[in-house]
Amino acid sequence: MNTERVPFGDLAREYRELKAEIDVAVARVLASGWFVLGPEVEAFERTFAGWLGVRHVVGVASGTEAIALALMAEGVGPGDEVITVAHTAVPTISAITQVGAIPRFVDIDPATCLMDVGQVEAAITPSTRAIVPVHLYGQCVDMDPLLAIAERHGLPVIEDCAQATGATCGGHNAGSIGRMGCFSFYPSKNLGCYGDGGAVSTNDDALAERLRMLRNYGQSKRYHHDIKGINSRLDEMQAAILSAKLPHVAAWNDRRKAIAVRYREGLANSGLMLPVEREAGGHVYHLFVVRSDRREAIMQAAAESGVQTLIHYPIPAHCQKAYLDLGYAEGRLPNTERVAAQVFSLPMYPQLTDAEVQRVIDAVVNAGHV
Ligand SMILES: *Cc1c(COP(=O)(O)O)cnc(C)c1O
């Protein structure tokens, strides 16, 4: 038996694959002597907007701040309520509380682990100011019914696309469907930089203008601060790296999908619950998340055969110490809580070899018999 480790992620492999292009991009920025908000950021914003099919992209410092800035651009602030899910990366929630707003949670669909759109309307109150669907694991929330509800109530939909670069819903790219889309370029995301970075996408000219001011101390032009802003900028180095990587994202996402097909075949009789794809398709497998009531035993046995797995996410936001004050008692979001106790993620990145994918399958299948 081959006992070589299969790590959960390995970004050095990606760098080796693209070393020539990345090194040229980084050297170009160093030689330019210009490091924050400049031609590299503008070029990336333009190219990424074209790639997504939107009018504007505004580069910011992280995915968390992309969401916070989108909320600020909509005027969401202290005391306002924002509807989202508790089964997400906690930064979704950090962004909402960063602007002083109150997260209000709806449960998830237990099949897809995505926002149960059917629960959104009942969660709307006179204080609701925005809805933040999370396209978790690389798959879009069912956007058509959500947009219909939002329109009926005059609420903006701000998409959390941090795990969904390249995902589609009804033929439209994640981030081009709601009022704004929020992207993270954290290194392990489907499009990642080599540090922190993020972006907001929108088709609305006025919102884009506002976002450009908000990310840069509220300046309309140098030394003219028209609104109260923050410092949340994408830097030139990260933008140059992103421009070098963007042309590869479609092929990388195809490779993720091909790995998902192999996992599905290899694990069909494993007893694990496999990820459910919405009929609309468009999943880009940021993560390949399976479920089992014997999660801990299987993860442990897989680790012993050298296959690293992780949990996304073990503790839902409403059960985190920081957010107990939101008043969601355990039991309030039963699907969220059940799913959080069952999920675990298999290695999923474009540079995984077929042999490694097979080793993961073998390890997990054998672990299932333990
Ligand atoms: C990664 C992530 C974020 C936060 O992005 P950062 O760039 O790390 O701030 C927000 N939401 C989700 C769903 C994420 O996966």
Side-chain angles (χ1 to χ4, degrees):
M1 193 178 122
N2 190 334
T3 53
E4 220 175 301
R5 274 185 78 244
V6 183
F8 190 79
D10 184 358
L11 289 164
R13 292 187 195 185
E14 179 200 87
Y15 173 63
R16 284 198 294 276
E17 189 181 306
L18 288 190
K19 183 173 179 348
E21 291 155 71
I22 300 283
D23 288 359
V24 165
V26 169
R28 184 173 71 230
V29 173
L30 291 174
S32 78
W34 191 274
F35 300 106
V36 175
L37 291 188
E40 295 287 348
V41 170
E42 280 166 30
F44 171 70
E45 288 177 339
R46 226 174 11 251
T47 319
F48 193 45
W51 195 89
L52 290 172
V54 296
R55 288 173 60 81
H56 306 281
V57 161
V58 179
V60 302
S62 72
T64 308
E65 288 192 336
I67 301 168
L69 286 159
L71 292 168
M72 290 167 75
E74 281 290 347
V76 177
D80 294 338
E81 294 181 5
V82 175
I83 296 173
T84 190
V85 288
H87 183 62
T88 179
V90 165
T92 310
I93 314 308
S94 314
I96 294 168
T97 56
Q98 182 178 336
V99 302
I102 305 160
R104 306 309 297 173
F105 300 122
V106 295
D107 209 350
I108 53 171
D109 173 338
T112 59
C113 303
L114 299 171
M115 173 181 265
D116 180 350
V117 173
Q119 297 193 13
V120 169
E121 196 144 34
I124 295 173
T125 76
S127 300
T128 306
R129 291 288 175 272
I131 305 171
V132 178
V134 181
H135 303 318
L136 201 70
Y137 304 151
Q139 174 158 243
C140 286
V141 169
D142 192 5
M143 290 299 282
D144 283 345
L146 185 64
L147 291 176
I149 294 164
E151 184 154 1
R152 264 204 302 284
H153 294 269
L155 294 169
V157 172
I158 297 170
E159 300 171 65
D160 181 341
C161 306
Q163 301 191 1
T165 301
T168 57
C169 180
H172 299 284
N173 276 308
S176 71
I177 304 164
R179 181 87 52 95
M180 283 174 273
C182 302
F183 292 84
S184 165
F185 305 128
Y186 184 77
S188 61
K189 303 291 162 101
N190 289 35
L191 171 61
C193 55
Y194 293 156
D196 273 310
V200 185
S201 57
T202 185
N203 282 310
D204 185 306
D205 299 348
L207 276 175
E209 207 39 54
R210 217 174 145 70
L211 287 162
R212 287 186 202 288
M213 289 196 268
L214 284 168
R215 73 170 169 184
N216 195 24
Y217 323 120
Q219 290 183 105
S220 56
K221 57 183 189 229
R222 203 169 197 184
Y223 304 131
H224 292 259
H225 300 258
D226 294 5
I227 57 178
K228 294 185 183 73
I230 62 173
N231 172 1
S232 180
R233 302 174 297 218
L234 187 62
D235 67 66
E236 290 282 281
M237 196 85 79
Q238 302 306 340
I241 291 165
L242 289 165
S243 291
K245 290 177 65 170
L246 183 60
H248 301 276
V249 173
W252 284 337
N253 281 347
D254 284 344
R255 174 66 186 152
R256 289 174 182 270
K257 289 181 236 178
I259 294 169
V261 168
R262 281 177 180 266
Y263 276 153
R264 278 185 195 286
E265 287 168 4
L267 298 173
N269 302 312
S270 64
L272 294 173
M273 273 182 275
L274 301 180
V276 172
E277 280 194 24
R278 293 189 38 232
E279 242 165 74
H283 200 319
V284 289
Y285 288 95
H286 173 60
L287 294 167
F288 192 90
V289 176
V290 297
R291 288 159 63 184
S292 167
D293 290 324
R294 301 179 50 241
R295 169 176 74 189
E296 271 68 29
I298 296 172
M299 289 179 73
Q300 176 64 33
E304 281 161 16
S305 46
V307 169
Q308 191 187 9
T309 59
L310 293 176
I311 299 175
H312 301 88
Y313 296 90
I315 306 171
H318 69 292
C319 301
Q320 296 283 355
K321 204 193 283 178
Y323 300 109
L324 293 179
D325 61 356
L326 295 174
Y328 287 81
E330 234 178 282
R332 255 296 274 292
L333 302 169
N335 293 335
T336 294
E337 291 165 29
R338 186 156 49 86
V339 161
Q342 295 174 325
V343 284
F344 66 105
S345 311
L346 308 184
M348 170 57 86
Y349 44 101
Q351 293 78 19
L352 271 181
T353 65
D354 290 348
E356 287 174 317
V357 171
Q358 192 56 50
R359 281 219 292 289
V360 175
I361 292 167
D362 293 343
V364 172
V365 167
N366 289 334
H369 300 142
V370 172

